Protein backbone atom coordinates (compact mmCIF):
# COMPACT_ATOMS: atom_id res chain seq x y z
CA UNK A 1 0.00 0.00 0.00
CA UNK A 2 1.35 3.48 -0.85
CA UNK A 3 2.70 5.57 1.99
CA UNK A 4 2.22 9.33 2.21
CA UNK A 5 3.75 11.81 4.65
CA UNK A 6 1.98 15.06 5.61
CA UNK A 7 4.61 17.31 7.14
CA UNK A 8 4.27 20.62 8.96
CA UNK A 9 6.02 22.59 11.68
CA UNK A 10 2.60 22.97 13.31
CA UNK A 11 0.71 19.69 13.59
CA UNK A 12 -2.08 19.65 16.18
CA UNK A 13 -1.67 16.25 17.82
CA UNK A 14 -1.82 14.84 21.34
CA UNK A 15 -3.02 18.12 22.85
CA UNK A 16 -0.10 20.17 21.53
CA UNK A 17 1.16 21.90 18.39
CA UNK A 18 4.53 20.56 17.22
CA UNK A 19 6.62 19.79 14.12
CA UNK A 20 5.60 16.36 12.86
CA UNK A 21 5.23 14.06 9.89
CA UNK A 22 1.92 12.23 9.71
CA UNK A 23 2.55 8.91 7.99
CA UNK A 24 -0.51 7.73 6.13
CA UNK A 25 -0.91 4.23 4.77
CA UNK A 26 -3.99 3.84 2.57
CA UNK A 27 -6.84 5.54 4.43
CA UNK A 28 -5.35 5.58 7.91
CA UNK A 29 -2.67 7.25 9.95
CA UNK A 30 0.06 4.70 10.64
CA UNK A 31 2.23 6.90 12.86
CA UNK A 32 3.00 10.48 13.83
CA UNK A 33 6.77 10.99 13.90
CA UNK A 34 9.21 13.87 13.95
CA UNK A 35 9.86 15.30 10.46
CA UNK A 36 13.42 13.92 10.37
CA UNK A 37 12.02 10.42 10.73
CA UNK A 38 10.07 10.62 7.47
CA UNK A 39 10.98 7.43 5.59
CA UNK A 40 12.72 7.93 2.23
CA UNK A 41 10.74 7.27 -0.91
CA UNK A 42 7.30 8.19 0.48
CA UNK A 43 5.04 10.68 -1.26
CA UNK A 44 5.71 13.74 0.91
CA UNK A 45 3.45 16.80 1.23
CA UNK A 46 5.43 19.45 3.12
CA UNK A 47 3.22 22.33 4.23
CA UNK A 48 5.97 24.25 6.03
CA UNK A 49 4.51 26.64 8.63
CA UNK A 50 0.91 26.01 7.60
CA UNK A 51 -0.83 24.10 10.38
CA UNK A 52 -2.41 20.65 10.11
CA UNK A 53 -5.47 19.96 12.27
CA UNK A 54 -7.61 16.86 12.51
CA UNK A 55 -10.52 16.89 10.05
CA UNK A 56 -13.40 18.66 11.80
CA UNK A 57 -16.49 16.75 12.89
CA UNK A 58 -19.81 18.61 12.76
CA UNK A 59 -22.26 16.91 15.08
CA UNK A 60 -25.12 19.31 14.29
CA UNK A 61 -26.28 20.31 10.84
CA UNK A 62 -29.27 20.00 8.53
CA UNK A 63 -28.55 18.56 5.08
CA UNK A 64 -32.26 18.61 4.10
CA UNK A 65 -32.15 15.60 1.76
CA UNK A 66 -34.25 13.67 0.91
CA UNK A 67 -37.39 15.72 0.54
CA UNK A 68 -36.08 19.27 0.73
CA UNK A 69 -33.11 19.03 -1.62
CA UNK A 70 -34.16 22.41 -3.01
CA UNK A 71 -32.98 23.75 0.40
CA UNK A 72 -29.52 22.17 -0.01
CA UNK A 73 -28.77 18.40 -0.09
CA UNK A 74 -25.81 16.03 0.23
CA UNK A 75 -23.85 17.29 -2.80
CA UNK A 76 -23.75 20.95 -1.83
CA UNK A 77 -23.52 20.40 1.94
CA UNK A 78 -20.58 18.02 1.73
CA UNK A 79 -18.81 20.30 -0.77
CA UNK A 80 -19.18 23.22 1.65
CA UNK A 81 -18.00 20.92 4.45
CA UNK A 82 -14.83 19.96 2.54
CA UNK A 83 -14.12 23.64 1.84
CA UNK A 84 -14.58 24.38 5.54
CA UNK A 85 -12.25 21.67 6.84
CA UNK A 86 -14.98 19.23 7.92
CA UNK A 87 -14.52 15.54 7.10
CA UNK A 88 -17.42 14.08 9.09
CA UNK A 89 -21.01 15.32 9.40
CA UNK A 90 -23.81 13.97 11.55
CA UNK A 91 -27.10 14.95 9.96
CA UNK A 92 -30.10 15.96 12.04
CA UNK A 93 -33.27 13.89 11.62
CA UNK A 94 -35.43 16.82 10.59
CA UNK A 95 -35.79 19.21 7.67
CA UNK A 96 -35.42 16.17 5.43
CA UNK A 97 -38.60 14.32 4.41
CA UNK A 98 -39.37 11.77 5.62
CA UNK A 99 -37.88 12.80 8.95
CA UNK A 100 -35.52 10.13 10.30
CA UNK A 101 -37.91 8.70 12.88
CA UNK A 102 -37.99 5.05 11.77
CA UNK A 103 -35.73 2.58 9.99
CA UNK A 104 -37.46 2.95 6.62
CA UNK A 105 -36.78 6.70 6.68
CA UNK A 106 -33.14 6.06 7.57
CA UNK A 107 -32.85 3.73 4.58
CA UNK A 108 -34.40 6.39 2.34
CA UNK A 109 -31.78 8.87 3.54
CA UNK A 110 -28.97 6.37 2.86
CA UNK A 111 -30.29 5.88 -0.65
CA UNK A 112 -30.41 9.64 -1.19
CA UNK A 113 -26.82 10.09 -0.01
CA UNK A 114 -25.32 7.39 -2.18
CA UNK A 115 -22.57 8.63 -4.52
CA UNK A 116 -23.06 12.31 -3.59
CA UNK A 117 -20.89 12.86 -0.53
CA UNK A 118 -17.44 14.45 -0.53
CA UNK A 119 -16.96 13.80 3.21
CA UNK A 120 -18.12 11.07 5.58
CA UNK A 121 -21.47 11.33 7.30
CA UNK A 122 -23.86 9.58 9.66
CA UNK A 123 -27.40 10.16 10.90
CA UNK A 124 -29.07 11.12 14.14
CA UNK A 125 -32.52 9.57 14.63
CA UNK A 126 -35.54 11.50 15.85
CA UNK A 127 -37.55 11.06 19.04
CA UNK A 128 -41.05 12.34 18.28
CA UNK A 129 -44.50 12.06 19.79
CA UNK A 130 -45.36 8.57 18.60
CA UNK A 131 -42.18 6.65 17.72
CA UNK A 132 -41.10 5.14 21.06
CA UNK A 133 -41.19 1.68 19.48
CA UNK A 134 -38.81 2.75 16.70
CA UNK A 135 -36.03 3.95 18.98
CA UNK A 136 -34.20 0.70 19.62
CA UNK A 137 -34.64 -0.42 16.00
CA UNK A 138 -33.11 2.84 14.77
CA UNK A 139 -30.17 2.36 17.12
CA UNK A 140 -29.63 -1.17 15.81
CA UNK A 141 -29.87 0.14 12.24
CA UNK A 142 -26.99 2.56 12.82
CA UNK A 143 -28.07 6.02 14.00
CA UNK A 144 -25.49 7.53 16.36
CA UNK A 145 -28.03 8.95 18.80
CA UNK A 146 -31.31 10.86 18.90
CA UNK A 147 -32.66 14.38 18.70
CA UNK A 148 -35.87 15.80 20.14
CA UNK A 149 -37.63 19.15 20.35
CA UNK A 150 -39.44 20.49 23.40
CA UNK A 151 -41.14 23.14 21.27
CA UNK A 152 -42.57 23.10 17.77
CA UNK A 153 -39.51 22.86 15.49
CA UNK A 154 -40.89 25.39 13.04
CA UNK A 155 -41.17 22.85 10.25
CA UNK A 156 -43.64 20.17 9.21
CA UNK A 157 -42.76 16.48 9.38
CA UNK A 158 -41.29 16.41 12.91
CA UNK A 159 -43.32 16.68 16.11
CA UNK A 160 -42.29 18.11 19.46
CA UNK A 161 -42.35 15.97 22.60
CA UNK A 162 -43.92 16.72 25.98
CA UNK A 163 -42.53 15.54 29.30
CA UNK A 164 -45.05 12.71 29.17
CA UNK A 165 -43.89 11.66 25.67
CA UNK A 166 -40.33 11.67 26.95
CA UNK A 167 -41.25 9.44 29.88
CA UNK A 168 -42.51 6.90 27.34
CA UNK A 169 -39.39 7.19 25.18
CA UNK A 170 -36.60 7.42 27.74
CA UNK A 171 -36.54 3.79 28.95
CA UNK A 172 -36.00 2.74 25.31
CA UNK A 173 -33.40 5.42 24.79
CA UNK A 174 -31.50 4.56 27.97
CA UNK A 175 -31.24 0.94 26.79
CA UNK A 176 -29.49 2.02 23.58
CA UNK A 177 -26.73 3.81 25.51
CA UNK A 178 -26.82 6.53 22.84
CA UNK A 179 -27.12 10.25 23.58
CA UNK A 180 -30.33 12.28 23.39
CA UNK A 181 -29.72 15.68 21.82
CA UNK A 182 -32.27 18.19 22.99
CA UNK A 183 -33.46 21.48 21.57
CA UNK A 184 -33.94 23.02 24.99
CA UNK A 185 -36.62 25.71 24.91
CA UNK A 186 -40.03 25.25 26.52
CA UNK A 187 -43.11 26.51 24.75
CA UNK A 188 -44.91 28.25 27.63
CA UNK A 189 -42.39 31.07 28.28
CA UNK A 190 -42.09 31.65 24.52
CA UNK A 191 -45.83 31.81 23.99
CA UNK A 192 -46.32 34.20 26.89
CA UNK A 193 -43.55 36.47 25.62
CA UNK A 194 -44.80 36.38 22.04
CA UNK A 195 -48.31 37.26 23.18
CA UNK A 196 -47.03 40.34 25.01
CA UNK A 197 -45.28 41.38 21.79
CA UNK A 198 -48.34 41.05 19.53
CA UNK A 199 -48.19 44.73 18.57
CA UNK A 200 -44.43 45.18 18.71
CA UNK A 201 -42.24 46.04 15.75
CA UNK A 202 -41.15 42.64 14.39
CA UNK A 203 -38.53 44.22 12.16
CA UNK A 204 -36.62 45.07 15.32
CA UNK A 205 -34.16 42.41 16.46
CA UNK A 206 -34.92 43.41 20.05
CA UNK A 207 -38.50 42.18 19.58
CA UNK A 208 -37.34 38.77 18.39
CA UNK A 209 -34.87 38.52 21.28
CA UNK A 210 -37.59 39.35 23.82
CA UNK A 211 -39.84 36.73 22.26
CA UNK A 212 -37.33 33.98 23.13
CA UNK A 213 -36.34 34.73 26.73
CA UNK A 214 -33.55 32.99 28.64
CA UNK A 215 -36.23 31.46 30.87
CA UNK A 216 -37.41 29.23 28.01
CA UNK A 217 -33.96 27.63 27.86
CA UNK A 218 -33.51 27.54 31.63
CA UNK A 219 -36.83 25.82 32.29
CA UNK A 220 -36.24 23.27 29.52
CA UNK A 221 -32.77 22.44 30.83
CA UNK A 222 -34.13 22.11 34.36
CA UNK A 223 -36.75 19.64 33.13
CA UNK A 224 -34.21 17.60 31.14
CA UNK A 225 -31.81 17.42 34.09
CA UNK A 226 -34.49 16.02 36.34
CA UNK A 227 -35.43 13.43 33.70
CA UNK A 228 -31.74 12.59 33.32
CA UNK A 229 -31.48 12.05 37.07
CA UNK A 230 -34.42 9.64 36.92
CA UNK A 231 -33.77 7.72 33.68
CA UNK A 232 -29.96 7.89 33.57
CA UNK A 233 -29.48 8.48 29.86
CA UNK A 234 -26.78 10.52 28.09
CA UNK A 235 -28.13 14.04 27.75
CA UNK A 236 -26.70 16.55 25.29
CA UNK A 237 -27.97 20.12 25.09
CA UNK A 238 -27.64 21.44 21.54
CA UNK A 239 -26.95 25.07 20.63
CA UNK A 240 -26.89 26.52 24.14
CA UNK A 241 -27.53 30.23 23.80
CA UNK A 242 -28.07 31.46 27.36
CA UNK A 243 -24.97 31.56 29.55
CA UNK A 244 -27.27 31.70 32.58
CA UNK A 245 -27.69 27.91 32.36
CA UNK A 246 -23.98 27.22 32.83
CA UNK A 247 -23.88 27.01 36.66
CA UNK A 248 -26.74 24.52 36.79
CA UNK A 249 -25.22 22.40 34.04
CA UNK A 250 -21.85 22.42 35.76
CA UNK A 251 -23.50 21.36 39.02
CA UNK A 252 -25.33 18.53 37.24
CA UNK A 253 -22.07 17.25 35.87
CA UNK A 254 -20.39 17.42 39.30
CA UNK A 255 -23.33 15.40 40.57
CA UNK A 256 -22.37 12.66 38.08
CA UNK A 257 -25.04 13.12 35.41
CA UNK A 258 -23.89 12.31 31.85
CA UNK A 259 -24.55 15.78 30.43
CA UNK A 260 -22.70 17.42 27.57
CA UNK A 261 -23.13 20.80 25.99
CA UNK A 262 -22.62 22.52 22.67
CA UNK A 263 -22.79 26.06 21.44
CA UNK A 264 -22.40 27.45 17.91
CA UNK A 265 -20.11 29.89 16.09
CA UNK A 266 -22.91 32.45 15.69
CA UNK A 267 -23.47 32.71 19.46
CA UNK A 268 -19.73 33.19 19.92
CA UNK A 269 -19.28 35.77 17.15
CA UNK A 270 -22.43 37.83 16.68
CA UNK A 271 -24.21 39.89 19.36
CA UNK A 272 -27.74 41.29 19.66
CA UNK A 273 -26.47 44.86 20.01
CA UNK A 274 -25.04 44.82 16.48
CA UNK A 275 -27.81 42.99 14.61
CA UNK A 276 -29.55 45.55 12.44
CA UNK A 277 -33.31 45.75 12.30
CA UNK A 278 -34.60 43.60 9.46
CA UNK A 279 -31.39 41.49 9.39
CA UNK A 280 -33.27 38.20 9.30
CA UNK A 281 -30.15 36.34 8.15
CA UNK A 282 -29.23 36.43 11.85
CA UNK A 283 -32.45 34.73 12.96
CA UNK A 284 -31.96 31.41 14.68
CA UNK A 285 -33.47 29.69 17.70
CA UNK A 286 -32.60 30.02 20.49
CA UNK A 287 -31.60 33.56 19.56
CA UNK A 288 -28.25 35.33 19.51
CA UNK A 289 -28.19 37.21 22.81
CA UNK A 290 -26.17 40.11 24.23
CA UNK A 291 -22.46 40.77 24.00
CA UNK A 292 -22.15 40.13 27.72
CA UNK A 293 -23.84 36.73 27.26
CA UNK A 294 -21.47 35.94 24.39
CA UNK A 295 -18.43 36.59 26.59
CA UNK A 296 -19.90 34.34 29.28
CA UNK A 297 -20.24 31.54 26.70
CA UNK A 298 -16.55 31.97 25.89
CA UNK A 299 -15.85 31.66 29.60
CA UNK A 300 -17.93 28.45 29.57
CA UNK A 301 -15.65 27.06 26.86
CA UNK A 302 -12.59 28.12 28.82
CA UNK A 303 -13.89 26.46 31.99
CA UNK A 304 -14.68 23.27 30.07
CA UNK A 305 -18.40 23.44 30.91
CA UNK A 306 -19.23 23.74 27.21
CA UNK A 307 -17.73 20.70 25.50
CA UNK A 308 -17.97 21.47 21.84
CA UNK A 309 -18.86 23.83 19.03
CA UNK A 310 -21.19 22.61 16.25
CA UNK A 311 -22.44 24.69 13.34
CA UNK A 312 -26.20 24.07 13.35
CA UNK A 313 -25.79 24.83 9.64
CA UNK A 314 -29.40 25.20 8.51
CA UNK A 315 -29.93 26.58 5.00
CA UNK A 316 -33.17 27.39 3.21
CA UNK A 317 -34.14 28.97 -0.09
CA UNK A 318 -33.27 32.70 0.20
CA UNK A 319 -36.90 33.77 -0.25
CA UNK A 320 -37.72 32.16 3.12
CA UNK A 321 -35.42 34.63 4.89
CA UNK A 322 -37.86 37.34 3.77
CA UNK A 323 -35.08 39.90 3.40
CA UNK A 324 -37.41 42.44 1.78
CA UNK A 325 -39.94 42.56 4.60
CA UNK A 326 -37.27 41.98 7.26
CA UNK A 327 -39.85 40.46 9.56
CA UNK A 328 -38.33 38.36 12.34
CA UNK A 329 -41.65 36.67 13.05
CA UNK A 330 -42.15 35.15 9.60
CA UNK A 331 -38.54 34.64 8.41
CA UNK A 332 -37.03 31.13 8.54
CA UNK A 333 -34.73 30.65 11.51
CA UNK A 334 -31.41 29.10 10.56
CA UNK A 335 -27.85 30.18 9.86
CA UNK A 336 -25.54 28.61 7.28
CA UNK A 337 -21.89 28.46 8.24
CA UNK A 338 -20.34 25.13 7.25
CA UNK A 339 -17.62 26.55 5.00
CA UNK A 340 -16.66 29.45 7.28
CA UNK A 341 -17.21 28.10 10.80
CA UNK A 342 -13.51 27.36 11.33
CA UNK A 343 -12.26 30.86 10.41
CA UNK A 344 -15.15 32.45 12.37
CA UNK A 345 -14.16 30.44 15.42
CA UNK A 346 -10.42 30.97 14.94
CA UNK A 347 -10.84 34.75 14.52
CA UNK A 348 -12.70 34.96 17.82
CA UNK A 349 -10.70 32.31 19.70
CA UNK A 350 -7.32 33.75 18.81
CA UNK A 351 -8.40 37.23 19.95
CA UNK A 352 -9.18 35.71 23.36
CA UNK A 353 -5.89 33.86 23.74
CA UNK A 354 -7.02 30.37 22.74
CA UNK A 355 -4.88 28.15 20.51
CA UNK A 356 -5.32 25.63 17.70
CA UNK A 357 -5.43 22.79 20.24
CA UNK A 358 -8.60 24.34 21.69
CA UNK A 359 -10.17 24.57 18.24
CA UNK A 360 -9.30 20.91 17.55
CA UNK A 361 -10.80 19.85 20.88
CA UNK A 362 -14.07 21.79 20.45
CA UNK A 363 -14.63 21.16 16.73
CA UNK A 364 -13.18 17.67 16.18
CA UNK A 365 -12.35 15.61 19.25
CA UNK A 366 -15.30 16.45 21.50
CA UNK A 367 -17.87 16.32 18.70
CA UNK A 368 -16.51 12.91 17.62
CA UNK A 369 -16.88 11.77 21.21
CA UNK A 370 -20.52 12.85 21.30
CA UNK A 371 -21.20 10.98 18.07
CA UNK A 372 -19.30 7.91 19.23
CA UNK A 373 -16.91 7.94 16.26
CA UNK A 374 -13.98 9.02 18.42
CA UNK A 375 -11.96 5.84 17.86
CA UNK A 376 -11.46 6.73 14.18
CA UNK A 377 -12.36 10.43 13.79
CA UNK A 378 -11.39 13.72 15.46
CA UNK A 379 -7.71 13.21 16.26
CA UNK A 380 -4.37 12.99 14.52
CA UNK A 381 -3.00 9.75 15.96
CA UNK A 382 -1.96 6.27 14.85
CA UNK A 383 -4.92 4.12 13.83
CA UNK A 384 -7.21 7.10 13.09
CA UNK A 385 -8.65 7.92 9.69
CA UNK A 386 -6.29 10.19 7.76
CA UNK A 387 -8.73 13.11 7.92
CA UNK A 388 -6.68 16.31 7.88
CA UNK A 389 -7.18 20.06 7.45
CA UNK A 390 -4.33 22.18 6.19
CA UNK A 391 -5.01 25.55 7.77
CA UNK A 392 -3.11 28.83 7.52
CA UNK A 393 -3.87 30.55 10.85
CA UNK A 394 -2.30 33.88 9.86
CA UNK A 395 -3.88 34.45 6.44
CA UNK A 396 -6.91 36.76 6.26
CA UNK A 397 -9.72 36.82 3.75
CA UNK A 398 -13.06 38.40 3.07
CA UNK A 399 -16.17 36.21 2.98
CA UNK A 400 -17.52 36.40 -0.56
CA UNK A 401 -20.34 34.37 -2.16
CA UNK A 402 -17.78 32.24 -4.09
CA UNK A 403 -16.21 31.12 -0.82
CA UNK A 404 -19.42 29.73 0.69
CA UNK A 405 -20.06 26.78 -1.65
CA UNK A 406 -23.60 26.43 -0.24
CA UNK A 407 -26.49 25.72 -2.53
CA UNK A 408 -27.49 29.37 -1.98
CA UNK A 409 -24.65 31.78 -1.18
CA UNK A 410 -26.52 33.38 1.70
CA UNK A 411 -24.94 33.99 5.10
CA UNK A 412 -24.75 36.65 7.82
CA UNK A 413 -20.96 36.40 7.53
CA UNK A 414 -20.81 37.75 3.95
CA UNK A 415 -18.48 40.73 3.71
CA UNK A 416 -16.69 40.00 6.98
CA UNK A 417 -12.91 39.86 7.20
CA UNK A 418 -11.84 36.68 8.92
CA UNK A 419 -8.56 35.16 9.95
CA UNK A 420 -7.50 31.63 8.99
CA UNK A 421 -7.75 30.01 5.59
CA UNK A 422 -8.45 26.34 4.82
CA UNK A 423 -5.85 25.45 2.19
CA UNK A 424 -6.70 21.77 1.81
CA UNK A 425 -8.86 19.04 3.32
CA UNK A 426 -8.00 15.34 3.15
CA UNK A 427 -10.56 12.60 3.71
CA UNK A 428 -9.00 9.23 4.55
CA UNK A 429 -5.78 10.24 2.78
CA UNK A 430 -7.40 11.73 -0.35
CA UNK A 431 -7.65 15.44 -1.14
CA UNK A 432 -11.31 16.49 -1.18
CA UNK A 433 -10.55 20.23 -1.21
CA UNK A 434 -7.34 21.67 -2.63
CA UNK A 435 -6.52 25.16 -3.95
CA UNK A 436 -10.17 26.10 -4.11
CA UNK A 437 -11.18 22.98 -6.06
CA UNK A 438 -12.84 19.68 -5.24
CA UNK A 439 -10.69 16.98 -6.88
CA UNK A 440 -12.00 13.52 -7.73
CA UNK A 441 -15.39 11.88 -7.46
CA UNK A 442 -17.40 12.06 -4.23
CA UNK A 443 -15.76 9.43 -2.00
CA UNK A 444 -17.50 10.12 1.30
CA UNK A 445 -19.42 7.30 2.93
CA UNK A 446 -21.62 6.68 5.89
CA UNK A 447 -19.67 6.09 9.07
CA UNK A 448 -20.95 2.96 10.84
CA UNK A 449 -20.25 1.66 14.32
ZN1 LIG B 1 -30.43 22.45 14.34
Amino acid sequence: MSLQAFISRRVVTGGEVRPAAILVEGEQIRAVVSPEQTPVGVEAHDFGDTAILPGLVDSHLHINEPGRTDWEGFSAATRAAAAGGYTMLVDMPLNCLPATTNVAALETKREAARGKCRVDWAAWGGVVKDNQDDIEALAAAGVLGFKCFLIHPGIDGFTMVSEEDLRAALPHLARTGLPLLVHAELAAPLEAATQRLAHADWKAYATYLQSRPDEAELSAIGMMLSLCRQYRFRLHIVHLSTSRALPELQAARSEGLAVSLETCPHYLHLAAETIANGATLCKCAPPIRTRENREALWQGLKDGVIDLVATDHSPCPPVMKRAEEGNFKTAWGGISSLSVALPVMWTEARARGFGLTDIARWMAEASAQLAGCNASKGRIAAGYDADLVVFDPEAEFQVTPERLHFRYPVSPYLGENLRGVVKATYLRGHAVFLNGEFPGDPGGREWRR
Side-chain angles (χ1 to χ4, degrees):
M1 213 179 281
S2 75
L3 199 61
Q4 303 181 79
F6 295 83
I7 304 163
S8 157
R9 275 187 282 278
R10 291 194 280 184
V11 175
V12 181
T13 177
E16 57 176 354
V17 182
R18 62 178 169 91
I22 305 159
L23 305 183
V24 172
E25 187 170 25
E27 298 194 328
Q28 287 191 331
I29 298 170
R30 191 168 80 180
V32 182
V33 300
S34 68
E36 310 82 69
Q37 292 172 297
T38 308
V40 287
V42 299
E43 185 188 347
H45 314 264
D46 192 336
F47 295 101
D49 280 326
T50 307
I52 304 180
L53 280 76
L56 305 183
V57 176
D58 195 5
S59 55
H60 186 162
L61 84 163
H62 302 266
I63 293 175
N64 302 305
E65 186 171 2
R68 288 194 181 90
T69 312
D70 54 325
W71 291 27
E72 191 151 273
F74 281 99
S75 286
T78 60
R79 203 173 55 213
Y86 285 93
T87 50
M88 169 79 185
L89 307 175
V90 194
D91 185 31
M92 281 295 170
L94 72 161
N95 297 19
C96 54
L97 283 171
T100 318
T101 53
N102 57 47
V103 174
L106 175 64
E107 294 300 341
T108 308
K109 182 173 283 190
R110 285 173 170 156
E111 193 56 44
R114 193 155 299 142
K116 292 179 189 157
C117 297
R118 293 201 173 265
V119 302
D120 288 346
W121 73 283
W124 298 118
V127 167
V128 290
K129 202 154 195 62
D130 53 4
N131 80 329
Q132 296 85 2
D133 293 334
D134 294 297
I135 291 171
E136 288 170 71
L138 272 166
V143 299
L144 304 191
F146 294 87
K147 163 81 177 283
C148 74
F149 271 76
L150 305 179
I151 48 157
H152 188 274
I155 195 162
D156 294 332
F158 200 88
T159 51
M160 60 180 272
V161 286
S162 64
E163 184 174 349
E164 196 186 335
D165 300 329
L166 279 171
R167 287 185 185 281
L170 287 173
H172 297 282
L173 184 108
R175 273 199 287 279
T176 70
L178 298 175
L180 179 63
L181 285 65
V182 181
H183 180 122
E185 284 182 296
L186 281 190
L190 298 186
E191 281 161 10
T194 305
Q195 214 154 33
R196 283 195 299 274
L197 295 162
H199 304 291
D201 174 12
W202 280 89
K203 279 189 179 179
Y205 185 74
T207 303
Y208 179 61
L209 181 57
Q210 286 165 43
S211 77
R212 303 198 85 111
D214 300 74
E215 287 70 27
E217 283 190 78
L218 294 167
S219 54
I221 288 167
M223 180 182 110
M224 289 314 303
L225 289 176
S226 72
L227 288 168
C228 189
R229 217 167 268 129
Q230 185 176 352
Y231 293 92
R232 293 281 155 182
F233 60 96
R234 283 172 65 195
L235 170 62
H236 178 76
I237 305 296
V238 296
H239 52 46
L240 181 80
S241 153
T242 178
S243 63
R244 284 172 50 194
L246 292 172
E248 190 179 6
L249 287 159
Q250 187 160 30
R253 207 176 291 184
S254 311
E255 181 194 329
L257 296 183
V259 186
S260 54
L261 262 184
E262 90 191 19
T263 190
C264 308
H266 39 272
Y267 301 123
L268 296 164
H269 178 68
L270 301 166
E273 290 90 337
T274 51
I275 297 176
N277 289 353
T280 52
L281 286 179
C282 297
K283 179 180 174 181
C284 60
I288 292 156
R289 302 189 190 278
T290 62
R291 204 177 272 134
E292 188 188 351
N293 181 76
R294 178 184 71 191
E295 297 312 310
L297 290 176
W298 277 105
Q299 188 63 40
L301 279 166
K302 189 172 188 179
D303 296 341
V305 189
I306 300 176
D307 301 270
L308 64 98
V309 176
T311 66
D312 196 10
H313 175 82
S314 186
C316 68
V319 63
M320 292 177 67
K321 277 293 189 182
R322 298 181 187 259
E324 271 160 40
E325 320 159 31
N327 185 326
F328 279 100
K329 195 177 220 169
T330 50
W332 168 255
I335 290 178
S336 300
S337 62
L338 208 40
S339 49
V340 291
L342 174 56
V344 166
M345 280 298 297
W346 177 237
T347 302
E348 295 291 346
R350 185 178 173 277
R352 290 170 177 80
F354 294 102
L356 292 172
T357 53
D358 299 304
I359 293 285
R361 192 174 67 252
W362 300 328
M363 301 179 80
E365 192 170 353
S367 39
Q369 199 170 349
L370 171 70
C373 59
N374 52 320
S376 58
K377 301 286 190 190
R379 285 177 60 198
I380 295 177
Y384 276 70
D385 284 358
D387 295 347
L388 307 171
V389 195
V390 181
F391 183 66
D392 183 343
E394 273 82 44
E396 291 182 45
F397 73 102
Q398 188 175 47
V399 183
T400 53
E402 310 78 67
R403 289 221 179 224
L404 292 177
H405 304 288
F406 307 152
R407 168 149 193 162
Y408 302 104
V410 170
S411 161
Y413 303 112
L414 276 177
E416 288 209 36
N417 292 304
L418 299 175
R419 190 179 281 265
V421 171
V422 175
K423 296 286 188 185
T425 305
Y426 291 84
L427 174 72
R428 290 183 269 103
H430 298 281
V432 289
F433 178 72
L434 187 62
N435 302 323
E437 316 239 306
F438 302 91
D441 293 327
R445 58 183 180 230
E446 185 186 0
W447 185 91
R448 301 289 289 267
R449 270 192 300 278

